[in-house]
Amino acid sequence: MTATEIRQAFLDFFVSKGHVIVPSAPIVIKNDPTLMFTNAGMNQFKDIFLGEAAAKATRVADTQRCLRVSGKHNDLEEVGIDTYHHTMFEMLGNWSFGDYFKKEAIAWSWELLTEVYKLPKDRLYVTYFEGDNNEGLEKDTETYNLWKQFVDEAHILPGNKKDNFWEMGETGPCGPCSEIHYDSREEGERLKVKGQSLVNADHDQVIEIWNNVFMQFNRLKGGALQPLPAKHVDTGMGFERLVRVLQGKTSNYDTDVFQPMIQFIAEKSGKTYNSAAKPGDADWNEAVAMRVLADHIRAISFAIADGQLPASNKAGYVIRRILRRAVRYSYQTLGFKEPFFNQLVPLLANQFKGVFDNLYSQKDFVQKVILEEEVSFLRTLAAGIKRFEEITDVDSIIIAGQSAISSFSGDANLNYVKDGIIEGKFAFELSDTYGFPIDLTELLAREKGWTVDISGFEAALQEQKTRSRSAGAIDTSDWITLKDDETSIFTGYDETETVAHVVKYRKVTAKGKEQYQIVLDKTPFYAESGGQVGDKGELVFPDGTIVLVTDTKKENGLTVHYVDNLPEDIEDALTAIVDPALRGQTNANHSATHLLHAAMKQVLGSHVNQKGSLVNSDYLRFDFSHFAKVTDEELAQIEAIVNQKVRQNIPLKEERSVLYAEAITSGVTALFGEKYGEYVRVITFEDEFSKELCGGTHVQATGQIGFFKIIAESAVAAGVRRIEAITGVAAEVFITNQSRMVDQLKDLLKNPKDLPKSIESLLDENSKLKKEIEKAILEKSSGLKNELAQKAEAINGINFIAQKVALPNAEAIKNLAYQLKDIVPNLFLVLAADFDGKPSLTVMIAENLVKEKGLHAGNIVKELAKEVKGGGGGQPFFATAGGSDVSGLDNALAKARSFVA
């Protein structure tokens, strides 16, 4: 069977068992503060398991794209090394929400594997939870007895809490699970060593292929287990592993899921992929590199298609890190010195056409983003190699056995090389700043006959992880439930004030600050979603107590209100009031965003699609796909179209509960990376102009926007631009300020007829004067050069000069220092200057003195800077420093003599 046939057989099987097939959720998670990416098939059903949403069908199945780069067996640096772990993978799953339980789940999993897929029964092993005395959990004898109907008892194995009790996290739904493992070893090996001993023993040929989780409990913050009101089934089968087993391969990468990609890489690199290569073999590194590229292109491409661009923080950083790891292998191991990785996108998009079409429809955009990231990282990689060479340059080593000192990261005191060992902190900085893998640093070190302090590197890495964990530490208490019915109704489309009751609340502590989170049975507060910020306002309690709502967010489908305090009695009805001014301004900015999107499609082309947005009461920010800077003329055109629609006062047409399929057929704009339900909300401002799927709040007619003004256009990432704009009063104030500024300029320039021409003439005149000043300074420093050269004092074979000079800036002093270096041999130069009350020190030392005498300008200038209450650093031959006490300059010059005496 092909991979496509295997996937379809799974879905068809569960349709025959009464399941509804649902689409994969985006790989990028929104509205869940606990996750950045979909890392399991159950993520999109989390609110159902938590009892915070009703299931639209009690039996569902799907194939879900998932991403994991941390946790058990999912360290990014291990992907490509073994044969069965991946960053992005498909998870085939079937779910029961309060419908069937263990009996059906076990029977159907066995039926599918042995009767549909025809897997040999004697190669299958199953596990059950053995119980845990510490938790007071009994052995799952029910699961054991159910398996006995199908499986030889020797193949039914007990598993501990670590392997056979599944938990969503520290808190939340959990329960015993039953894994199914497959032994794919050759017959001779199976006879020598029984498969039982290799289950869950990290053997690459005895692997888990399916896990049936039986959710029975809810884990509370204190660790206690509470029975769930309804029992659920959550199963997950790794698609890539299943294909490997069914196609009789010993590696996931040898299946038709990965082989087309690997063979393409092999052909373009001029190398041969050897699946059987082992560590130490000549072609091992090349095999690993090809697997890394074939794996990583999947995670990166689907993340970008789902709306997550590579970035320098949070989820974007994860994607960039994966991408850079692939590019490193491409560059370092496969020899691609020009961007190549992006060329895999069209191949991948075609492979998943009909399965995950969102990638195919955006393949050009995704490829462009990856190309730009490659170009940027290859430059960074080259800079990192250059930095390594600078730091470890033999000419920088002072004397044998002493430390090499560098100005890397501006710190002249770090000892990067000592006795042929490169310090771990420097290796970590190369990794953290330039994306160097530690093995590349080791390779570069070996070429110089050096080694790397690996323990120091790992300590620095651990330090960073600890800092990250501490910065993000949040202590969340268990929910305290006041009403059994935890459903929450949003009334904010129709009103900004609602009488409501508290359903549940909890205390949260983050960065030393305590807050409360409240869920109401009804609320007019809009929770942050789709780029629109959460509402602010107040909760008015019966006794007159007013509690300010500082933010509103979504969590697992619930609207959560953030407050800093709570009154003692919160069980009676309260009045929830949204700040009407803030909501009104936010409405205007959100509706303007829709008009902007439509106008951009008219002016720039239909390729323009939203890639991110921020809408609040102050301004709007809109990120969109476009590969060139938007010209001033285009911006003016866009602005004019939006304001025309504003003046037309187009009424809002809002349609709630429209079938998704009908909405798409009608030509509505849907956003990539958003998860839409069966029914959607459609927002229209003129049928032929703007029609979008949207859950946000809006003006009742475009005239309420008042006026629209673009204030900035910039680049965000490869192929993504950003427009920032304001509306209404903010736009009016902006225009008034701009007009006032123009009037002030006219007054200053005596009301010229042509203001731009007058300013241009002024700038030209200023430029000419600057050049004349620079020329005068250069002439002055040239005169000083000869004067100072004559003052050189011979001390121990060194020409020593330490003088105060009257030059206006650091550049002039630097030029003077280099001129003196050219005419004075064996130079040791210290220049002091006063820049408008700010002391400046410059040290220049001849290269031969650096090598022969062990002198280091960076160290010396730091010592001298103490006299002016400052600091500095630099290279061994040239360094500078500043400070706050200009009166110490004479002392610094006197102190300089001690370094040569």
Side-chain angles (χ1 to χ4, degrees), residues 586-768:
T586 302
N587 288 350
N589 286 334
H590 198 157
S591 297
T593 302
H594 283 224
L595 302 183
L596 170 64
H597 194 181
M600 289 170 63
K601 283 182 176 288
Q602 279 191 13
V603 175
L604 303 178
S606 59
H607 68 279
V608 169
N609 283 305
Q610 181 176 327
K611 291 298 172 187
S613 69
L614 172 66
V615 176
N616 59 30
S617 58
D618 298 323
Y619 76 112
L620 66 94
R621 189 179 73 204
F622 187 79
D623 298 343
F624 57 97
S625 52
H626 190 58
F627 294 110
K629 178 178 171 55
V630 184
T631 66
D632 291 341
E633 293 76 15
E634 289 168 333
L635 289 173
Q637 239 183 308
I638 292 165
E639 205 173 77
I641 291 171
V642 174
N643 280 315
Q644 180 189 33
K645 299 301 179 183
V646 171
R647 290 191 297 274
Q648 288 174 359
N649 199 28
I650 302 165
L652 165 69
K653 179 182 174 184
E654 179 202 22
E655 300 169 271
R656 301 180 196 174
S657 299
V658 179
L659 280 168
Y660 176 76
E662 286 182 12
I664 295 299
T665 304
S666 72
V668 73
T669 298
L671 304 182
F672 292 112
E674 288 290 339
K675 180 178 177 287
Y676 296 107
E678 185 180 359
Y679 291 92
V680 293
R681 180 169 176 259
V682 180
I683 295 297
T684 304
F685 291 108
E686 197 174 280
D687 282 336
E688 301 304 317
F689 183 68
S690 172
K691 194 172 188 178
E692 294 193 19
L693 300 185
C694 180
T697 61
H698 290 272
V699 296
Q700 292 304 301
T702 58
Q704 292 175 344
I705 295 170
F707 186 71
F708 173 82
K709 180 64 185 172
I710 295 172
I711 57 173
E713 191 277 344
S714 59
V716 176
V720 179
R721 307 293 298 180
R722 170 174 291 172
I723 280 180
E724 295 173 60
I726 49 180
T727 65
V729 174
E732 181 185 333
V733 170
F734 179 84
I735 296 297
T736 300
N737 289 339
Q738 293 289 305
S739 179
R740 186 180 294 122
M741 193 184 301
V742 170
D743 289 340
Q744 289 171 345
L745 285 171
K746 283 182 177 179
D747 288 343
L748 288 170
L749 296 173
K750 311 301 182 187
N751 291 307
K753 291 181 180 179
D754 189 337
L755 180 61
K757 189 173 181 180
S758 295
I759 293 173
E760 191 176 340
S761 297
L762 198 63
L763 291 172
D764 287 343
E765 184 180 345
N766 185 53
S767 178
K768 288 176 184 175

Side-chain angles (χ1 to χ4, degrees), residues 68-69 74-82 85-87 253 284-285 288-297 300 317-334 341 373-374 377 381 431 434-440:
R68 292 181 190 171
V69 289
N74 289 100
D75 185 343
L76 177 60
E77 296 302 327
E78 294 300 316
V79 175
I81 306 297
D82 71 16
H85 285 106
H86 305 287
T87 51
Y253 294 98
W284 164 251
N285 289 334
V288 169
M290 291 184 201
R291 290 196 287 267
V292 165
L293 266 64
D295 172 274
H296 288 11
I297 192 63
I300 296 158
Y317 176 70
V318 175
I319 300 306
R320 177 166 284 167
R321 184 175 165 226
I322 298 171
L323 191 153
R324 289 186 165 190
R325 182 173 186 251
V327 175
R328 289 194 320 245
Y329 272 102
S330 173
Y331 174 90
Q332 178 188 350
T333 308
L334 297 178
F341 190 50
E373 281 285 321
E374 276 193 274
F377 182 53
L381 203 57
S431 170
Y434 294 99
F436 265 49
I438 186 63
D439 61 318
L440 177 53

Side-chain angles (χ1 to χ4, degrees), residues 418-720:
K418 187 172 184 179
D419 299 329
I421 301 172
I422 295 176
E423 191 188 57
K425 282 187 179 179
F426 172 57
F428 173 72
E429 287 196 46
L430 280 178
S431 170
D432 196 44
T433 306
Y434 294 99
F436 265 49
I438 186 63
D439 61 318
L440 177 53
T441 304
E442 287 183 295
L443 176 66
L444 294 172
R446 278 198 301 272
E447 289 174 356
K448 292 179 176 288
W450 295 341
T451 59
V452 177
D453 173 17
I454 295 299
S455 61
F457 169 82
E458 290 175 347
L461 180 63
Q462 190 57 46
E463 251 179 65
Q464 186 199 53
K465 287 181 177 178
T466 302
R467 283 195 303 270
S468 297
R469 279 195 296 269
S470 299
I474 298 175
D475 183 22
T476 305
S477 300
D478 289 325
W479 286 108
I480 297 174
T481 301
L482 302 182
K483 290 182 67 177
D484 290 335
D485 184 4
E486 295 189 2
T487 56
S488 181
I489 300 169
F490 176 62
T491 64
Y493 293 141
D494 305 309
E495 59 186 4
T496 55
E497 187 172 321
T498 302
V499 174
H501 290 82
V502 176
V503 172
K504 61 181 182 177
Y505 69 95
R506 68 183 177 189
K507 186 164 70 173
V508 176
T509 305
K511 296 181 179 178
K513 181 183 177 183
E514 283 189 355
Q515 272 192 313
Y516 291 89
Q517 296 178 352
I518 300 174
V519 176
L520 304 176
D521 58 353
K522 290 190 298 181
T523 180
F525 284 80
Y526 181 81
E528 180 181 329
S529 181
Q532 180 176 331
V533 299
D535 279 328
K536 296 180 181 180
E538 57 189 34
L539 304 179
V540 182
F541 288 84
D543 64 357
T545 302
I546 297 175
V547 174
L548 297 180
V549 177
T550 59
D551 202 356
T552 313
K553 296 179 182 291
K554 274 187 181 175
E555 184 174 325
N556 302 318
L558 288 179
T559 297
V560 179
H561 309 75
Y562 288 69
V563 300
D564 290 336
N565 54 76
L566 278 180
E568 287 185 16
D569 184 6
I570 60 173
E571 295 196 29
D572 287 339
L574 57 84
T575 305
I577 306 171
V578 173
D579 186 314
L582 294 180
R583 167 69 81 83
Q585 293 158 14
T586 302
N587 288 350
N589 286 334
H590 198 157
S591 297
T593 302
H594 283 224
L595 302 183
L596 170 64
H597 194 181
M600 289 170 63
K601 283 182 176 288
Q602 279 191 13
V603 175
L604 303 178
S606 59
H607 68 279
V608 169
N609 283 305
Q610 181 176 327
K611 291 298 172 187
S613 69
L614 172 66
V615 176
N616 59 30
S617 58
D618 298 323
Y619 76 112
L620 66 94
R621 189 179 73 204
F622 187 79
D623 298 343
F624 57 97
S625 52
H626 190 58
F627 294 110
K629 178 178 171 55
V630 184
T631 66
D632 291 341
E633 293 76 15
E634 289 168 333
L635 289 173
Q637 239 183 308
I638 292 165
E639 205 173 77
I641 291 171
V642 174
N643 280 315
Q644 180 189 33
K645 299 301 179 183
V646 171
R647 290 191 297 274
Q648 288 174 359
N649 199 28
I650 302 165
L652 165 69
K653 179 182 174 184
E654 179 202 22
E655 300 169 271
R656 301 180 196 174
S657 299
V658 179
L659 280 168
Y660 176 76
E662 286 182 12
I664 295 299
T665 304
S666 72
V668 73
T669 298
L671 304 182
F672 292 112
E674 288 290 339
K675 180 178 177 287
Y676 296 107
E678 185 180 359
Y679 291 92
V680 293
R681 180 169 176 259
V682 180
I683 295 297
T684 304
F685 291 108
E686 197 174 280
D687 282 336
E688 301 304 317
F689 183 68
S690 172
K691 194 172 188 178
E692 294 193 19
L693 300 185
C694 180
T697 61
H698 290 272
V699 296
Q700 292 304 301
T702 58
Q704 292 175 344
I705 295 170
F707 186 71
F708 173 82
K709 180 64 185 172
I710 295 172
I711 57 173
E713 191 277 344
S714 59
V716 176
V720 179

Side-chain angles (χ1 to χ4, degrees), residues 303-320:
I304 294 171
D306 280 347
Q308 182 55 66
L309 297 169
S312 56
N313 57 22
K314 298 183 179 178
Y317 176 70
V318 175
I319 300 306
R320 177 166 284 167

Side-chain angles (χ1 to χ4, degrees), residues 253-266:
Y253 294 98
D254 291 346
T255 68
D256 62 350
V257 176
F258 292 99
Q259 271 303 300
M261 192 76 68
I262 287 175
Q263 292 309 321
F264 178 82
I265 297 166

Side-chain angles (χ1 to χ4, degrees), residues 260-414:
M261 192 76 68
I262 287 175
Q263 292 309 321
F264 178 82
I265 297 166
E267 178 188 345
K268 294 297 181 181
S269 64
K271 302 179 187 299
T272 302
Y273 175 67
N274 179 9
S275 173
K278 291 181 173 56
D281 291 349
D283 49 5
W284 164 251
N285 289 334
E286 292 171 1
V288 169
M290 291 184 201
R291 290 196 287 267
V292 165
L293 266 64
D295 172 274
H296 288 11
I297 192 63
R298 292 153 43 103
I300 296 158
S301 297
F302 281 110
I304 294 171
D306 280 347
Q308 182 55 66
L309 297 169
S312 56
N313 57 22
K314 298 183 179 178
Y317 176 70
V318 175
I319 300 306
R320 177 166 284 167
R321 184 175 165 226
I322 298 171
L323 191 153
R324 289 186 165 190
R325 182 173 186 251
V327 175
R328 289 194 320 245
Y329 272 102
S330 173
Y331 174 90
Q332 178 188 350
T333 308
L334 297 178
F336 290 107
K337 302 307 179 189
E338 298 295 325
F340 164 74
F341 190 50
N342 68 92
Q343 296 176 34
L344 304 180
V345 173
L347 192 64
L348 182 71
N350 286 324
Q351 179 183 348
F352 280 96
K353 187 178 181 183
V355 183
F356 304 131
D357 285 327
N358 64 324
L359 176 58
Y360 186 83
S361 60
Q362 299 182 85
K363 62 181 185 295
D364 293 341
F365 169 73
V366 172
Q367 184 172 3
K368 178 73 173 176
V369 170
I370 294 176
L371 170 62
E372 293 295 328
E373 281 285 321
E374 276 193 274
V375 170
S376 173
F377 182 53
L378 286 171
R379 282 198 299 264
T380 302
L381 203 57
I385 292 173
K386 182 181 177 185
R387 173 61 69 186
F388 179 89
E389 293 300 333
E390 287 174 355
I391 300 307
T392 59
D393 186 351
V394 174
D395 290 340
S396 298
I397 307 299
I398 300 171
I399 52 175
Q402 288 192 349
S403 299
I405 312 296
S406 162
S407 61
F408 186 70
S409 294
D411 190 338
N413 277 334
L414 290 179

